[in-house]
Amino acid sequence: MKSLVLAEKPSVARDIARVLGCKQAHKHYFEGKQHIVTWALGHLVELKMPEDYDRKYETWRLEDLPIIPKKMGLKVIRQTSHQFRAIERLAKRPDVKDVIIATDAGREGELVARWILEMIGWTKPIWRLWISSQTDRAIRDGFRQLKPGAQFDRLYQSAVCRAEADWLIGLNVSRALTTKYNDPLSAGRVQTPTLAMIIEREREIQSFVPVPYWTIRAKIGSITAVWKRHGGHRLFDQDEAKQLLARLDGQPARVVSVKRKRKSEPAPLPYDLTELQRDANKRFGFSAKKTLSVLQRLYEQHKLVTYPRTDSRYLPSDMEATMTERLLAMKSGYEDVIAPLLAKGKAKAAKRVFNDDKVTDHHAIVPTDERLNLSRLSTDERKLYDLIARRFLALFFPPYESETTTAVFDIGGEMFVAKETAVVNFGFKAVLGKEETDAKPTLSHLAEGQTLPSVQLEREQSFTEPPARYSEADLLAQMEKYGLGTPATRADIIERLVETEVVERKDGRFYPTKKGKQLIELVNKELKSPELTARWERELEAIARGKGNPQQFLANIRRQTQQLVAEIKQSEQVYKAPNLTNLTCPECGALLKERKTKDGRMLVCSNLACRYRRRRDPKLSNRRCPQCHRRMEMHEGKAGLYFQCRPCNIVEKADETKRIAAKGSERALLKKYSPANESFGTSLGELFKQALNEKKE
């Protein structure tokens, strides 16, 4: 009898199969003496769409909302159904005794596998592979310590609750807004409060009025001291600043006090995903999405780091024994740092990083014991690995120690303060590359009661500044603060805001668009609040821990969906598509909207039922107008490809089969005339045969 192993991706399945000795390679799986290793392709199963419950929902109508099925159903995703059918066949083999879930060890990975098993009607035992790295050793150890599937039932319930809540809230609210205001408007329990934060920051900036203020500095020999009163150093009254400067001019400085304070700063904890995304954005300008993508390659392909999608910055106590092996694996890239550590014997990391109580489903992101070969990494992979590696190495170094000297001077009865910091021990900062220059001390020779006559005063005017627009690092910090999304989903949420054209990314900062500003006025007040989403995330986490009630959670979501849709229906708000042009659609007569896409500027029909779209600067074909002989524009409409000469107002339908055959693209033909597209009424086989014949001719 054999175990069926279900991985999430083919690459991971390949590694597991190699470790387990499954050498028989088939199209959809690998097979060995004891295991059959197959894979999903991300999600193979998804929640049914509204039209799967009733065909009338294919047309979006406000009066049909809210759509709340009595029981949420599942369906196989058509594009990857071939892999699902393969898994289904393997599951029905009489020699398969159980299944081992080897998808990503997290909420989403659990959902990927469980939905597949539910759709195939799996009734045999379930085991769970739960590992935090993809090294051969981790895989072998994981298979020796398989956990009962029932241990993760609560995690699965939490994942289902999250998926159904997003479907009910996101789909219904988005459809309601889109149909009421006749423009594609997207809203959701995480993206909407995130957009609200960006717009609120923009309001703060736009309403900000700069206020002038003055600071007074005293040059006392080589020392610079700043005037202070009640802890503040700004003067907002120009006359007072002038009077103060005039009164103090020519006065000597008396040393009131000289205090020295030692400071010890321990090495920072290793990264969780959000902090790594923030640092990568600050240091390299990486988007959160790019950081996660590069990190996933370091985890899956190179096996150099542990599981990426974590919200913990601690390590379990049993990992303490693996520290030396990890250092040895990294040595080729960081020999100057690691060699001295190993020369002392067994290297020890800071004790505070090992804390079982603060490790969630996964521990912090740290290097694995896979041998490092920097030459195999791309530039971006090296940059990100270096951040993780140096943060990890810092754990083996002593604290950074410094001494701050603060001198307080009395000049004409006013207090002036000077500070300087001297490094006592660079400690871990030498590893992080954050060394500070050891400036020549200027306060060390001072003594209390000493009078210094050589004083020069200067006044400087400045202006208060508005808060900065959010960078990606700032936005991630805010999302983390309010519990918006999870480390695994935040990057996608940010990209979704950009893709739906409600925010723009300029010079690394986020600007709300006209569409975004209008949308936030249309969305329900409750949905804009970060507190609501934070509460949902806490409830989902409680369900995953076995302390929440999934039935109660979903009942509340259904009531909330009805309330949110009712508010939109009753709303008297007005919306105008900001990208509407004065051009009319040649197919239905509605006004066209201009959109920015990867293919350039596109004109899209504002009538949601019409599929007309063309380039703002359309492509010219080689076909000539029969009247003026100019090259005709090439467009794609709901009736297919056609050519147009605007000056002569001539439109000609293209022969799709000849066009594709001439390009020699059988794959394009198959895609164009799949069974789902019956626009031309000719069978796929006839079209394909005709295209091949014309290609040969």
Side-chain angles (χ1 to χ4, degrees):
M1 300 294 283
K2 298 182 180 183
S3 295
L4 179 63
V5 181
L6 178 56
E8 191 157 333
K9 298 176 182 177
S11 58
V12 177
R14 196 174 298 112
D15 289 333
I16 292 174
R18 178 175 47 76
V19 172
L20 296 179
C22 300
K23 297 179 180 178
Q24 297 177 33
H26 300 270
K27 185 176 180 181
H28 299 287
Y29 63 96
F30 299 95
E31 187 164 358
K33 293 180 180 179
Q34 296 180 315
H35 300 89
I36 302 167
V37 183
T38 186
W39 57 87
L41 295 166
H43 280 279
L44 297 182
V45 175
E46 64 183 355
L47 290 170
K48 286 182 176 179
M49 294 304 289
E51 55 269 25
D52 297 315
Y53 296 99
D54 193 323
R55 292 296 295 271
K56 72 177 183 179
Y57 295 137
E58 286 181 349
T59 302
W60 291 23
R61 285 184 293 264
L62 187 60
E63 56 269 26
D64 290 336
L65 301 174
I67 301 168
I68 304 178
K70 289 183 179 179
K71 186 178 185 306
M72 303 291 278
L74 298 174
K75 69 173 183 177
V76 177
I77 298 173
R78 183 181 171 190
Q79 292 87 335
T80 53
S81 59
H82 57 92
Q83 186 63 25
F84 174 83
R85 300 302 171 203
I87 295 172
E88 188 176 37
R89 288 192 295 271
L90 291 171
K92 291 178 179 178
R93 279 177 44 168
D95 61 338
V96 170
K97 61 175 181 176
D98 54 20
V99 69
I100 299 169
I101 296 176
T103 49
D104 280 357
R107 188 167 73 184
E108 206 61 26
E110 197 69 23
L111 192 68
V112 167
R114 294 294 191 108
W115 272 357
I116 293 171
L117 296 179
E118 185 173 333
M119 283 294 286
I120 63 179
W122 182 265
T123 56
K124 297 174 185 178
I126 299 174
W127 297 92
R128 191 46 160 116
L129 174 72
W130 195 268
I131 56 178
S132 289
S133 65
Q134 293 290 334
T135 64
D136 290 5
R137 178 176 176 175
I139 292 171
R140 279 194 294 269
D141 290 347
F143 271 91
R144 281 196 290 265
Q145 302 171 36
L146 293 173
K147 303 176 186 297
Q151 192 173 320
F152 299 90
D153 286 350
R154 285 291 187 172
L155 182 66
Y156 170 51
Q157 289 172 353
S158 172
V160 170
C161 286
R162 194 277 309 157
E164 293 191 9
D166 283 348
W167 192 101
L168 289 165
I169 298 285
L171 183 143
N172 278 289
V173 172
S174 295
R175 281 201 178 200
L177 290 168
T178 298
T179 52
K180 173 139 186 163
Y181 301 107
N182 196 37
D183 199 34
L185 297 170
S186 178
R189 65 183 186 92
V190 178
Q191 69 185 61
T192 301
T194 304
L195 172 62
M197 289 193 301
I198 295 171
I199 288 176
E200 181 56 35
R201 174 58 58 90
E202 189 68 21
R203 284 176 183 152
E204 291 173 12
I205 294 169
Q206 297 303 327
S207 62
F208 183 83
V209 178
V211 177
Y213 67 90
W214 291 262
T215 54
I216 298 176
R217 289 184 173 84
K219 289 281 188 179
I220 311 168
S222 59
I223 301 167
T224 300
V226 179
W227 172 87
K228 282 196 175 183
R229 183 186 289 170
H230 307 306
H233 68 279
R234 297 179 177 185
L235 276 164
F236 288 94
D237 187 324
Q238 185 178 12
D239 292 336
E240 185 182 1
K242 285 180 180 179
Q243 292 168 10
L244 192 61
L245 196 66
R247 182 168 64 84
L248 300 180
D249 189 38
Q251 299 283 334
R254 183 175 62 86
V255 180
V256 177
S257 66
V258 180
K259 295 181 180 178
R260 293 174 177 83
K261 185 177 181 181
R262 283 246 179 161
K263 180 184 176 183
S264 179
E265 180 185 340
L269 292 167
Y271 283 114
D272 62 8
L273 176 57
T274 301
E275 192 186 3
L276 180 60
Q277 287 171 320
R278 287 166 56 193
D279 272 11
N281 179 250
K282 291 174 186 174
R283 293 279 297 276
F284 315 125
F286 287 3
S287 68
K289 184 78 172 177
K290 180 175 180 176
T291 297
L292 183 54
S293 176
V294 174
L295 187 58
Q296 198 71 27
R297 292 201 300 272
L298 288 173
Y299 168 66
E300 282 184 11
Q301 182 181 335
H302 301 292
K303 304 176 179 55
L304 291 173
V305 300
T306 55
Y307 187 73
R309 294 173 167 85
T310 176
D311 60 356
S312 175
R313 296 182 60 199
Y314 291 85
L315 301 174
S317 55
D318 60 6
M319 277 184 69
E320 192 169 0
T322 70
M323 295 295 106
T324 300
E325 290 176 65
R326 294 171 194 270
L327 291 173
L328 285 169
M330 300 167 62
K331 191 176 178 183
S332 64
Y334 300 88
E335 185 157 5
D336 58 330
V337 178
I338 295 174
L341 293 175
L342 297 176
K344 298 176 183 177
K346 192 175 181 181
K348 291 186 178 180
K351 279 284 184 185
R352 68 191 185 99
V353 75
F354 301 104
N355 190 327
D356 293 331
D357 293 336
K358 293 189 177 181
V359 173
T360 53
D361 289 339
H362 295 283
H363 54 69
I365 302 169
V366 294
T368 66
D369 58 4
E370 186 79 7
R371 295 288 172 181
L372 173 64
N373 186 343
L374 287 174
S375 64
R376 294 180 181 175
L377 304 183
S378 68
T379 302
D380 289 342
E381 289 166 349
R382 286 188 197 183
K383 286 179 178 178
L384 204 62
Y385 180 81
D386 190 60
L387 278 183
I388 297 165
R390 291 188 181 277
R391 180 66 75 93
F392 174 69
L393 291 172
L395 295 170
F396 297 88
F397 281 75
Y400 166 79
E401 295 180 20
S402 61
E403 183 177 82
T404 300
T405 303
T406 304
V408 178
F409 301 89
D410 183 311
I411 304 176
E414 296 289 338
M415 184 175 73
F416 285 75
V417 179
K419 281 188 179 184
E420 66 181 18
T421 299
V423 177
V424 177
N425 183 355
F426 282 114
F428 72 86
K429 288 198 176 183
V431 185
L432 295 182
K434 295 181 179 179
E435 298 93 337
E436 298 177 12
T437 55
D438 203 356
K440 187 177 179 180
T442 60
L443 305 179
S444 58
H445 65 283
L446 296 176
E448 290 184 12
Q450 182 179 358
T451 300
L452 304 170
S454 179
V455 177
Q456 292 180 336
L457 297 175
E458 57 183 35
R459 184 186 66 192
E460 182 181 340
Q461 181 182 3
S462 303
F463 290 87
T464 56
E465 295 182 353
R469 290 180 178 85
Y470 288 122
S471 67
E472 196 124 356
D474 299 331
L475 197 55
L476 287 166
Q478 289 295 104
M479 293 174 79
E480 184 177 43
K481 175 184 173 182
Y482 289 107
L484 296 176
T486 65
T489 61
R490 286 175 189 137
D492 285 333
I493 293 299
I494 293 172
E495 293 305 316
R496 176 74 176 154
L497 292 174
V498 176
E499 288 166 6
T500 54
E501 300 176 329
V502 293
V503 300
E504 286 182 305
R505 193 190 268 120
K506 297 178 187 175
D507 301 322
R509 300 277 171 179
F510 290 103
Y511 293 72
T513 63
K514 291 180 180 178
K515 180 178 180 179
K517 290 174 183 177
Q518 287 191 85
L519 173 60
I520 212 67
E521 297 300 322
L522 305 176
V523 175
N524 318 70
K525 184 178 179 181
E526 191 178 16
L527 202 58
K528 290 184 274 192
S529 165
E531 285 75 19
L532 171 68
T533 299
R535 189 177 75 239
W536 284 346
E537 287 294 346
R538 286 195 297 271
E539 290 177 20
L540 290 171
E541 185 61 27
I543 292 168
R545 301 288 176 199
K547 298 177 181 178
N549 186 326
Q551 290 77 25
Q552 185 63 47
F553 175 83
L554 287 174
N556 290 338
I557 290 292
R558 286 165 177 259
R559 280 195 296 272
Q560 206 156 27
T561 300
Q562 291 176 327
Q563 173 194 333
L564 293 171
V565 171
E567 286 179 19
I568 294 170
K569 286 182 174 181
Q570 295 161 15
S571 173
E572 296 181 0
Q573 293 273 12
V574 177
Y575 173 86
K576 181 182 178 182
N579 55 349
L580 212 58
T581 70
N582 293 322
L583 303 173
T584 56
C585 174
E587 296 190 3
C588 72
L591 290 176
L592 295 175
K593 292 183 295 186
E594 183 178 297
R595 293 190 61 194
K596 293 179 182 177
T597 71
K598 293 177 182 178
D599 298 323
R601 294 186 305 164
M602 301 291 292
L603 289 172
V604 182
C605 184
S606 59
N607 177 7
L608 297 177
C610 178
R611 297 180 185 176
Y612 177 81
R613 59 187 285 133
R614 69 172 174 84
R615 286 177 176 269
R616 179 74 175 183
D617 306 308
K619 286 183 178 179
L620 294 176
S621 70
N622 289 325
R623 184 177 293 208
R624 299 283 177 173
C625 171
Q627 191 166 311
C628 70
H629 304 294
R630 289 189 181 93
R631 291 171 67 187
M632 301 178 78
E633 296 174 1
M634 188 163 57
H635 299 291
E636 190 89 25
K638 63 183 179 183
L641 186 75
Y642 65 89
F643 302 97
Q644 182 178 27
C645 177
R646 293 185 184 281
C648 302
N649 198 24
I650 291 177
V651 176
E652 292 185 355
K653 180 73 177 64
D655 186 326
E656 287 288 307
T657 309
K658 287 182 179 178
R659 182 176 76 91
I660 296 174
K663 289 172 65 177
S665 177
E666 294 88 351
R667 183 175 294 180
L669 181 72
L670 283 165
K671 185 177 180 182
K672 183 74 180 177
Y673 296 106
S674 62
N677 187 340
E678 299 173 355
S679 307
F680 291 88
T682 310
S683 75
L684 173 62
E686 290 173 355
L687 280 166
F688 192 42
K689 185 176 179 181
Q690 180 184 347
L692 289 176
N693 289 336
E694 293 184 5
K695 183 183 174 184
K696 290 175 184 177
E697 293 172 4

